[in-house]
Amino acid sequence: MRAKIKYAIFVKEDILESVNWYNQAQKGLGLRFLKEVKEKINYIAENPEKIQVRYQDVQIAVVKTFPYTVHFRFLKEENTLWILGVFHTSINPDKWTKRL
C-alpha cells in the first residue's frame, strides 16, 4: 500500500531553490528536475522498504539524471513517508544531518 507523504518544513523551499537554479541555467530544465524529483518521491512512496537505510534510520534514494538524493524516513506503523531533504550530492553531509 502506498505510503502517505509528508515533508519537513524546509524541503519544498530547497526544491524550489534548485528548480530556479536549473531554470536560470537552461529554460525548462527546472521543470524537468522537479518532475524527476516527484517521480522519485512517488517511487519511494510505493516502495519505501526497497531503499537501503544509510545512516541511523534515514534512507537515501538517488534522483535519476540529476546529482540529487532524497533523504527520508519511513514510519512503517503509520505508513508515512517523511521527506527530510532533497540535496545535491556535493553538499557537505553536515548540512543535512544537522536538520535531522
Side-chain angles (χ1 to χ4, degrees), residues 8-89:
I9 58 172
F10 45 78
V11 173
K12 291 181 180 181
E13 291 176 25
D14 288 347
I15 293 171
L16 184 57
E17 183 179 307
S18 297
V19 167
N20 291 334
W21 188 90
Y22 277 115
N23 277 334
Q24 288 179 353
Q26 181 182 338
K27 185 178 179 180
L29 192 57
L31 183 61
R32 185 171 158 211
F33 167 76
L34 181 60
K35 180 182 176 202
E36 292 196 21
V37 169
K38 285 181 175 182
E39 285 176 2
K40 182 55 70 174
I41 290 171
N42 286 328
Y43 172 82
I44 295 166
E46 292 288 338
N47 307 283
E49 295 181 290
K50 288 188 177 182
I51 311 293
Q52 180 180 14
V53 174
R54 295 289 293 269
Y55 55 95
Q56 298 171 12
D57 59 348
V58 176
Q59 295 164 267
I60 300 175
V62 178
V63 175
K64 185 175 100 178
T65 308
F66 293 90
Y68 279 76
T69 52
V70 178
H71 299 241
F72 66 97
R73 283 190 176 116
F74 176 56
L75 305 176
K76 187 174 185 173
E77 50 290 336
E78 299 172 24
N79 195 38
T80 302
L81 181 71
W82 273 97
I83 306 298
L84 304 172
V86 177
F87 299 110
H88 193 280
T89 56

